[in-house]
């Protein structure tokens, strides 16, 4: 029976059988294929393995010495561990797995081969260095840095020697010149002896006091002045008939008294307060009275016992006469400032004692025995202070306004009974309003004249 005569169902079944037979034959052929038709080439695998081994071997070579290979124009095999000159042509032979090398152009690389010796490492145009090369370079670098540092130290030492000389050499030269280095104590002793010497001229005495004032600004030096009786010598200088001696003696005392309680106590016991008040109460040149008033202020501040003695000796009467004298406006401002300081100092001391209990009971008791405000009222300082508002200087007015505010509780009724005070305050109010407006135009929100205007407004409000 011919195939075309078979029914369609038989034809489909026969096709399936033929397909299965052909698949089986193809699988059998793949499992028994010839090695030369294999998908993976054994030759290429061996080449890769050789390259891997050579790479490992090269990494394990001693990196300190490499043999230099001298190539020619023919391909030659390169053994592991050999170095080639830069510009050589290197290839990998896939058949043998070895690296081969030859020259590309003789003229181009001839200069690179000159001077090369067998057995030396070739580092032409290479960016690699051996560990020994790095160690050697680092050692040279450190050596150079040490040499440079040593040179800088020597240069610096030489410069110091040029600028400064050894102390032994200086001492020797001073001894040859008969120069003695004095301490502050020795200098003050010498100055006191010069001032107290009857053979010294007036100029020498004034010069000695002028130099002494510089040293007694220091608290320790001022206290050392007590140890050899120098302070009493200066206090006695206030009895001199020479106005200049009185002036500069008071100048020294004012510097020594300032914020130095130990010296203040010794001065009270040495009669300094009485002598200062006598000079202020008598006819003396204005410069002398300025310095004496300076010494009096330094003696009274923060010393309540001295303030008590000041009131007992009639100090307020002395200051009143001083302020009311003609041509003493400068002294008047200083006196008003002193009174303001004394009033506020006592007030702050009492407030501090009530709030913090830090003020000693003895000192607080001394302040309470200073009856300054009643004495100011009795001596007419309420009226004297208001009259000082007529002074033209803004600084003087500022100090007077501060004192008026400090005396307000004591002098309120006196202020209200004085019509001149109200007119003066109103006039000053208008003046300082204009000045304060100018300050605001200049961008000063809290200017000097604005503060003065605030003080005037507060006084006017209290007196209404």
């Amino acid at each position: 029976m011919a195939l075309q005569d078979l029914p369609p169902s038989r034809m489909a079944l026969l096709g399936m059988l033929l397909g299965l037979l052909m698949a089986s034959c193809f699988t059998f052929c793949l499992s028994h294929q010839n090695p030369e038709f294999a998908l993976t080439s054994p030759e290429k695998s061996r080449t890769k393995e050789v390259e891997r081994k050579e790479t490992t071997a090269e990494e394990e070579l001693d990196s300190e010495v490499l043999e230099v290979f001298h190539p020619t124009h023919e391909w030659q095999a390169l053994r592991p561990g050999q170095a080639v000159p830069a510009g050589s042509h290197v290839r990998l032979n896939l058949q043998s797995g070895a690296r081969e090398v030859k020259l590309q152009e003789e003229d181009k690389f001839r200069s690179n081969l000159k001077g090369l010796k067998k057995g030396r490492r070739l580092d032409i145009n290479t960016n690699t260095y051996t560990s020994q090369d790095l160690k050697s370079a680092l050692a040279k670098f450190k050596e150079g840095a040490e040499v440079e540092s040593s040179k800088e130290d020597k240069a610096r030492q030489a410069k110091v020697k040029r600028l400064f000389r050894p102390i032994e050499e200086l001492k020797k030269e001073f001894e040859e010149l008969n120069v003695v280095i004095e301490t502050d104590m020795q200098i003050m002793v010498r100055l006191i002896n010069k001032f107290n010497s009857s053979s010294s001229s007036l100029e020498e005495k004034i010069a000695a006091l002028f130099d002494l004032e510089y040293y007694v600004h220091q608290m320790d030096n001022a206290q050392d002045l007590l140890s050899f009786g120098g302070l009493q010598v200066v206090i006695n200088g206030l009895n001199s008939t020479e106005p200049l001696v009185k002036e500069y003696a008071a100048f020294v005392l004012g510097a020594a008294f300032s914020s130095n309680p130990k010296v203040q106590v010794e001065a009270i016991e040495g009669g300094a307060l009485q002598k200062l008040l006598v000079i202020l109460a008598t006819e003396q040149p204005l410069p002398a009275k300025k310095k004496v008033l300076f010494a009096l202020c330094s003696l009274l501040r923060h010393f309540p016992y001295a303030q008590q003695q000041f009131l007992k000796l009639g100090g307020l009467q002395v200051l009143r006469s001083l302020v009311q004298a003609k041509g003493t406006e400068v002294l008047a401002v200083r006196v008003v400032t002193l009174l303001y300081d004394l009033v506020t100092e006592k007030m702050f001391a009492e407030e501090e004692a009530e709030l913090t209990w830090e003020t000693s009971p003895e000192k607080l008791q001394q302040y309470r025995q200073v009856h300054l405000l009643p004495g100011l009222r009795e001596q007419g300082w309420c009226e004297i202070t208001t009259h000082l508002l007529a002074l033209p200087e803004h600084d003087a007015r500022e100090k007077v306004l501060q004192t008026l505010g400090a005396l307000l509780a004591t002098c309120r009724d006196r202020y209200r009974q004085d019509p001149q005070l109200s007119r003066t305050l109103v006039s000053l109010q208008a003046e300082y309003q204009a000045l304060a407006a100018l300050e605001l135009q200049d961008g000063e929100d809290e200017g000097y004249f604005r503060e003065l205007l605030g003080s005037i407004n507060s006084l006017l409000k209290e007196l209404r």
Side-chain angles (χ1 to χ4, degrees), residues 87-317:
S88 299
H89 189 182
V90 182
R91 74 177 184 180
L92 178 64
N93 192 327
L94 297 180
Q95 297 296 328
S96 62
R99 290 189 299 173
E100 296 178 349
V101 61
K102 75 170 184 177
L103 289 176
Q104 290 185 355
E105 296 181 13
E106 182 179 356
D107 295 337
K108 183 176 180 180
F109 300 103
R110 184 183 300 275
S111 59
N112 292 336
L113 300 176
K114 292 180 180 180
L116 297 178
K117 295 182 180 180
K118 190 174 182 180
R120 291 187 181 178
R121 177 181 177 87
L122 184 65
D123 53 0
I124 300 177
N125 291 332
T126 60
N127 295 325
T128 58
Y129 301 91
T130 65
S131 60
Q132 188 62 32
D133 292 338
L134 295 176
K135 291 179 181 178
S136 177
L138 182 60
K140 291 180 180 179
F141 176 78
K142 290 182 177 178
E143 181 180 355
E146 292 176 358
V147 172
E148 187 68 22
S149 177
S150 177
K151 290 181 180 179
E152 292 179 358
D153 292 340
K154 290 181 180 179
R156 183 166 54 253
Q157 292 175 4
K159 183 178 179 181
V160 171
K161 288 182 179 179
R162 289 196 304 269
L163 295 176
F164 305 99
R165 290 184 293 170
I167 187 63
E168 292 78 10
E169 182 180 345
L170 293 174
K171 288 181 178 179
K172 185 178 179 181
E173 292 186 4
F174 282 140
E175 290 176 359
E176 293 175 354
L177 296 172
N178 293 325
V179 176
V180 180
I181 300 177
E182 295 178 304
T183 63
D184 287 357
M185 179 75 165
Q186 293 171 332
I187 294 174
M188 289 192 299
V189 171
R190 178 171 55 81
L191 293 174
I192 286 294
N193 291 335
K194 175 66 71 174
F195 169 70
N196 203 32
S197 175
S198 58
S199 61
S200 298
S201 63
L202 177 61
E203 291 76 11
E204 291 175 336
K205 291 184 177 183
I206 298 304
L209 290 174
F210 183 82
D211 293 340
L212 185 61
E213 188 271 341
Y214 169 79
Y215 288 96
V216 298
H217 271 290
Q218 299 183 29
M219 181 178 293
D220 293 340
N221 287 342
Q223 295 179 2
D224 289 339
L225 195 65
L226 304 175
S227 61
F228 61 91
L231 181 67
Q232 191 60 50
V233 173
V234 179
I235 291 174
N236 294 337
L238 297 174
N239 296 328
S240 175
T241 56
E242 292 289 344
L244 280 176
V245 174
K246 295 179 180 179
E247 178 182 346
Y248 281 91
F251 192 35
V252 173
L253 292 175
F257 296 159
S258 182
S259 302
N260 203 329
K262 186 175 181 180
V263 179
Q264 288 175 321
V265 171
E266 293 293 333
I268 288 292
E269 294 179 356
L273 179 60
Q274 295 89 327
K275 298 180 187 302
L276 293 172
L277 291 175
V278 168
I279 295 175
L280 292 176
T282 57
E283 191 70 26
Q284 299 291 339
L286 184 61
K289 288 194 174 186
K290 285 182 180 179
K291 293 294 191 297
V292 170
L293 185 58
F294 161 66
L296 178 65
C297 294
S298 298
L299 181 60
L300 295 181
R301 285 190 174 97
H302 305 290
F303 191 11
Y305 178 74
Q307 296 172 20
Q308 295 176 31
Q309 299 303 313
F310 169 75
L311 294 176
K312 290 179 180 180
L313 293 173
L316 290 178
Q317 294 92 321

Side-chain angles (χ1 to χ4, degrees), residues 371-398:
H371 305 294
L372 180 60
L373 289 175
L376 290 173
R377 181 183 174 90
E378 293 173 2
Q379 296 294 328
W381 280 97
C382 298
E383 293 79 11
I384 294 173
T385 308
T386 57
H387 295 162
L388 292 176
L389 276 178
L391 293 174
E393 295 82 8
H394 297 299
D395 182 66
R397 293 174 181 176
E398 178 188 12

Side-chain angles (χ1 to χ4, degrees), residues 347-366:
M347 179 179 64
F348 290 151
E350 292 176 348
E351 290 180 355
E352 183 181 9
E354 293 177 0
L355 296 176
T356 64
W357 300 95
E358 291 182 358
T359 304
S360 64
E362 181 180 356
K363 192 170 185 178
L364 180 60
Q365 185 62 28
Q366 291 178 355

